[in-house]
Amino acid sequence: MSIEKIAKQMVEKGKGILAADESTGTMEKRLKSVNVECTEKNRLNFRETLFSSSSMKTSISGVILFEETLKQTSNSGIPIPELIKKSGSIPGIKVDKGAKLLSGSDQEKVTEGLDGLRGRMEEYYKLGARFAKWRAVYSISSKHPSEQCIKSNAHALARYAAIVQEANMVPIVEPEVLMDGDHTIDKCYDITSRVLNECYKELEIHNVNLKGTVLKPNMVIHGSNCKQKAKTEEIAKKTLECLKKNMPKEVPGVAFLSGGQSEIEATKNLNEINKINDTSFNFTFSYGRALQQSALKTWAKSMTDIKKVQKVFDHRATMNGASTEAKWNEKLEQSFVA
Ligand code: 13P
């Protein structure tokens, strides 16, 4: 399949992406929070439980994996990428090596992982991955993000995207303006706008085919410690405005990260964005925490009751699927019986 077709499929209406690509360090934190030991077996068991849920067929267009998971075999003997493909979903792979201190800056970060990436992409393709992800992070404070941080991350994202397309895979371009801090929603709007503008400038310089990409941005939202919490309508309006201003028309769609929003907030905000969407872009989710949190808590308590965990995950995935078509509401949310 061409990369343009894959990109379209990744953002198709009614479905979204499951971000299950936490590095081992991040998984350690997630599992510790529910008092589970972070072993390779536990990481596989939890993830396999999600990947064999029934909502994979109805609400999940793609799954982002960490390299370890891409190479694992499920307990039923099927390689993990095969298990995902069997449900009609596309396997993807996180290819960056994490955000590292940016020399010459004041504690800001640049994402690394370009060295040897061409060779790694060949291997990932053979293992079944058809899209990739690279995440850049930007924090907001009175002096951040700096021009240096915005420019160096945009440059790396564009070089990554070009290498991924060369391997016939779709790059998810993920510039994440972090929610940490007490900044207002308007400050988030300005920074997100500057960041996106620079990213698309670089993608163009690097001759990336935008029709074969998916943007994974933050929503335009208040900082987590900001006293003035913006309402859903304002978040949706400003997010849409910011994306319309900065996204080239060729990009097929957007798959938002949840970035620390609660499960319900993330669903509600996406639903509202789709309610007012007057563009040709598809807006969907690529959530990590906002798709997995309740399922993880349930799993930690009832590890042997796979059906129970899957029911919780299926509900969350279905609710987010509905929000991609502006069909979510409180009544639907509450229809869930554990
Ligand atoms: P969250 O939805 O938890 O922010 O994770 C999405 C992701 O893939 C971050 O890179």
Side-chain angles (χ1 to χ4, degrees):
M1 210 192 301
S2 73
I3 56 167
E4 295 183 8
K5 273 202 175 141
I6 297 171
K8 266 196 184 156
Q9 206 176 312
M10 286 164 67
V11 295
E12 76 176 291
K13 288 235 165 288
K15 292 187 175 186
I17 298 168
L18 165 60
D21 61 319
E22 297 86 356
S23 63
T24 308
T26 304
M27 256 331 243
E28 176 106 42
K29 271 193 245 160
R30 301 273 188 273
L31 293 181
K32 207 171 165 192
S33 74
V34 291
N35 295 316
V36 174
E37 202 189 339
C38 185
T39 61
E40 186 180 342
K41 192 165 174 4
N42 280 340
R43 292 193 289 273
L44 173 67
N45 287 350
F46 175 62
R47 285 167 165 161
E48 184 180 342
T49 303
L50 305 185
F51 305 162
S52 30
S53 301
S54 60
S55 57
M56 284 288 298
K57 289 198 180 91
T58 52
S59 314
I60 303 294
S61 59
V63 181
I64 319 176
L65 300 168
F66 187 55
E67 188 173 310
E68 173 188 83
T69 327
L70 184 74
K71 294 177 175 169
Q72 275 170 330
T73 300
S74 70
N75 290 298
S76 53
I78 311 169
I80 290 291
E82 279 305 313
L83 180 69
I84 293 168
K85 272 197 259 172
K86 253 180 64 182
S87 61
S89 188
I90 312 167
I93 171 84
K94 182 231 291 292
V95 302
D96 67 66
K97 295 283 186 190
K100 306 285 159 64
L101 271 186
L102 173 62
S103 301
S105 82
D106 171 30
Q107 300 292 311
E108 294 186 285
K109 304 238 170 103
V110 66
T111 302
E112 295 186 352
L114 290 171
D115 287 352
L117 183 57
R118 180 177 282 127
R120 283 198 284 135
M121 291 315 302
E122 245 177 66
E123 188 197 356
Y124 298 148
Y125 190 94
K126 281 190 196 134
L127 288 165
R130 290 296 176 268
F131 69 90
K133 166 188 136 168
W134 179 287
R135 171 176 175 256
V137 292
Y138 312 82
S139 52
I140 300 185
S141 73
S142 53
K143 50 186 178 175
H144 296 150
S146 64
E147 191 72 5
Q148 180 199 7
C149 173
I150 292 176
K151 281 199 186 300
S152 31
N153 274 302
H155 176 79
L157 270 166
R159 285 195 56 205
Y160 138 82
I163 295 172
V164 170
Q165 288 195 337
E166 196 181 85
N168 268 318
M169 287 163 70
V170 172
I172 291 186
V173 175
E174 182 179 4
E176 175 175 8
V177 176
L178 297 167
M179 265 183 89
D180 307 316
D182 58 5
H183 54 270
T184 61
I185 185 169
D186 290 330
K187 180 81 182 174
C188 179
Y189 180 104
D190 290 344
I191 302 296
T192 305
S193 198
R194 270 174 64 202
V195 163
L196 292 179
N197 185 271
E198 190 63 32
C199 284
Y200 282 112
K201 250 198 240 166
E202 286 288 333
L203 287 165
E204 199 188 321
I205 291 173
H206 288 262
N207 301 311
V208 172
N209 171 8
L210 296 177
K211 288 184 182 167
T213 65
V214 169
L215 177 68
K216 175 164 173 169
N218 51 285
M219 291 181 193
V220 172
I221 193 166
H222 50 265
S224 39
N225 292 326
C226 177
K227 291 201 182 77
Q228 277 170 276
K229 306 272 183 244
K231 295 219 165 66
T232 310
E233 291 74 17
E234 188 183 3
I235 295 167
K237 189 170 163 270
K238 290 187 171 160
T239 301
L240 188 64
E241 212 174 280
C242 185
L243 293 170
K244 270 160 84 171
K245 190 172 134 197
N246 294 292
M247 275 176 73
K249 298 270 175 296
E250 291 83 0
V251 183
V254 167
F256 291 103
L257 57 93
S258 60
Q261 296 181 54
S262 72
E263 290 181 336
I264 305 285
E265 272 173 337
T267 305
K268 200 173 171 178
N269 289 336
L270 178 60
N271 190 66
E272 193 64 29
I273 292 169
N274 278 303
K275 248 193 222 171
I276 60 167
N277 182 14
D278 56 356
T279 71
S280 59
F281 303 125
N282 275 2
F283 291 105
T284 185
F285 56 92
S286 174
Y287 296 158
R289 285 161 288 179
L291 260 179
Q292 297 182 53
Q293 220 153 49
S294 294
L296 181 66
K297 280 188 191 152
T298 310
W299 176 73
K301 279 193 226 130
S302 343
M303 280 196 185
T304 49
D305 194 349
I306 284 176
K307 290 256 165 344
K308 188 172 173 184
V309 182
Q310 291 181 332
K311 207 173 157 192
V312 172
F313 176 70
D314 285 341
H315 176 67
R316 207 61 260 135
T318 308
M319 291 302 100
N320 283 310
S323 74
T324 67
E325 300 184 282
K327 287 181 181 162
W328 175 89
N329 56 53
E330 299 279 356
K331 208 169 150 204
L332 198 65
E333 184 65 51
Q334 276 144 23
S335 65
F336 180 64
V337 190

